[in-house]
Amino acid sequence: MTRTFTMGETTAATGLTADTLRYYEDESIIGPFARDHRNHRVFSDKDIAWIHVVTCMKDAGLGIDELRTFADLLHGTHAAPDPVGFLRERRAALEERRQVLARAIAVMDEKIAHFARTGTEEDER
């Protein structure tokens, strides 16, 4: 028998709030979920794994419309004609963002090293 999880267990496992889970379900990004005898949502291991994937994509910068498209790519009834292209475009955008962040980190590291060598105005007071 497959183990199921309550909303509380799922929020603890995913770090998302119940409101966020319901919103993602309303937006067809996750779910629909099975219901128990009290009509409460129940989640499977597979559901929780998918929620983690969605969270990762959200953290990567995908907005709600893109998350909806992403979900549809993988298990929707209106699968996009070019899922590889969609994912490659998102990956390219992430790579560009990574490079921008790497440059910003390098500048910060230079400034940290400079101030560590010369001291700050507070140290001189």
Side-chain angles (χ1 to χ4, degrees):
M1 184 170 166
T2 303
R3 174 150 191 248
T4 59
F5 302 88
T6 65
M7 178 66 83
E9 291 169 326
T10 302
T11 62
T14 63
L16 299 178
T17 66
D19 286 340
T20 298
L21 291 171
R22 285 189 287 271
Y23 175 71
Y24 283 175
E25 184 179 18
D26 290 345
E27 292 296 320
S28 301
I29 295 167
I30 60 175
F33 301 109
R35 301 286 182 140
D36 65 13
H37 66 281
R38 297 169 299 183
N39 202 32
H40 293 169
R41 290 170 184 84
V42 292
F43 302 84
S44 68
D45 286 321
K46 187 176 178 180
D47 294 329
I48 291 173
W50 175 245
I51 292 166
H52 284 298
V53 170
V54 167
T55 301
C56 180
M57 294 296 108
K58 175 79 170 129
D59 291 344
L62 272 67
I64 294 301
D65 288 339
E66 289 177 312
L67 288 172
R68 196 179 303 108
T69 300
F70 179 71
D72 203 37
L73 284 174
L74 296 180
H75 42 58
T77 57
H78 306 96
D82 186 15
V84 173
F86 174 85
L87 293 172
R88 282 185 176 150
E89 287 174 14
R90 292 339 172 263
R91 189 193 184 290
L94 281 175
E95 179 60 31
E96 184 176 319
R97 198 166 117 209
R98 186 191 67 77
Q99 290 173 7
V100 168
L101 290 172
R103 287 191 296 270
I105 290 169
V107 169
M108 283 189 176
D109 287 345
E110 289 173 13
K111 297 304 174 194
I112 290 168
H114 170 76
F115 286 116
R117 283 190 312 272
T118 63
T120 63
E121 290 181 9
E122 287 184 16
D123 291 341
E124 295 175 11
R125 287 184 198 171

